[in-house]
Amino acid sequence: MFIGTPLITEEEIQRKVRELAQKISRDYDKKDLLAIGILKGSFMFFSDLIRHIKSPLRIDFIIASSYIKDTTSGEVKIHYFPKEELEGKDILLVDDIIDTGISLQYLRDKILEKKPSSLKICVLLDKKERRIVEVPVDYVGFSVPNKFIVGYGLDYQETFRNIPYLTIFKKEAK
Ligand code: IMP
Ligand code: MG
């Protein structure tokens, strides 16, 4: 049905998600966690992750898009930002992948402006080779090669988000 053989299978993803959720549950024991998923890319990872976190939590979302004009500058646009008070909250920001780091750095700064009591970042995938700006990431699922990855929420031009595993996108597949 879908393109490509898995780079990371459904089973591997689910095992990792449970592992991350366990760590997060331990770290946020007795804290009021607000988990914020960055849409659209993190929708599948976010919903799998939070259902394995044992501590009580609330959720919200940021809807953002980034336009990379050249290799050194990216412009991030926020379409939705949590309406609730973020001051004094323990926030976990969840994204699908950190690539150049530009989006997460921008969104992290926007949240820090609201003076949360703590802010941690969780990403499923880390494409280290492509990093332009350093962003502190607290929870990482997998390190991935410098290839374009689709599936499990990640898209190529809004398609392929529904593939249940992670695979490398090849142009001829579309
Ligand atoms: P950034 O370059 O770290 O700012 O990444 C911005 C966004 O680009 C990520 O949140 C993803 O939505 C998207 N992105 C980066 N690399 C990939 C990829 O390999 N596949 C699909 N989306 C990607
Ligand atoms: Mg994204």
Side-chain angles (χ1 to χ4, degrees):
M1 177 186 175
F2 285 124
I3 59 162
T5 50
L7 172 70
I8 302 170
T9 65
E10 283 185 75
E11 289 72 24
E12 288 166 333
I13 294 170
Q14 291 310 321
R15 205 176 313 132
K16 186 65 78 175
V17 166
R18 283 195 297 274
E19 213 180 282
L20 288 170
Q22 257 177 26
K23 275 191 207 145
I24 293 167
S25 306
R26 276 200 298 271
D27 293 351
Y28 286 89
D29 185 37
K30 299 191 178 69
K31 282 189 176 168
D32 264 338
L33 172 59
L34 172 62
I36 300 180
I38 302 172
L39 296 177
K40 298 176 192 168
S42 81
F43 84 99
M44 237 184 238
F45 174 46
F46 187 74
S47 68
D48 280 347
L49 183 73
I50 59 163
R51 80 185 77 188
H52 292 294
I53 297 177
K54 301 285 180 252
S55 20
L57 57 80
R58 285 171 306 114
I59 64 160
D60 210 330
F61 297 97
I62 288 175
I63 304 177
S65 48
S66 47
Y67 304 94
I68 307 295
K69 288 177 188 154
D70 53 61
T71 51
T72 54
S73 76
E75 194 183 308
V76 184
K77 211 168 173 174
I78 296 181
H79 308 282
Y80 171 82
F81 195 81
K83 305 265 185 291
E84 66 185 282
E85 185 71 69
L86 301 184
E87 189 172 339
K89 301 282 164 67
D90 290 302
I91 296 176
L92 178 68
L93 190 58
V94 180
D95 207 358
D96 52 355
I97 183 167
I98 179 162
D99 185 26
T100 63
I102 290 170
S103 317
L104 269 174
Q105 187 196 49
Y106 183 86
L107 298 176
R108 179 176 180 270
D109 287 348
K110 287 285 160 204
I111 292 176
L112 288 177
E113 277 173 19
K114 307 286 179 192
K115 302 193 172 23
S117 130
S118 70
L119 174 59
K120 287 190 179 189
I121 295 178
C122 174
V123 295
L124 179 65
L125 306 177
D126 183 357
K127 212 192 275 181
K128 280 205 181 74
E129 253 185 80
R130 292 250 310 159
R131 199 78 88 255
I132 292 172
V133 290
E134 277 316 312
V135 186
V137 179
D138 303 277
Y139 308 97
V140 178
F142 304 94
S143 287
V144 288
N146 186 8
K147 296 269 162 43
F148 201 81
I149 294 163
V150 294
Y152 196 63
L154 287 87
D155 71 307
Y156 171 73
Q157 296 182 354
E158 293 301 327
T159 313
F160 304 123
R161 292 192 197 274
N162 58 321
I163 301 175
Y165 51 83
L166 290 151
T167 182
I168 293 169
F169 174 73
K170 296 183 191 74
K171 269 254 150 68
E172 63 272 23
K174 221 190 155 192

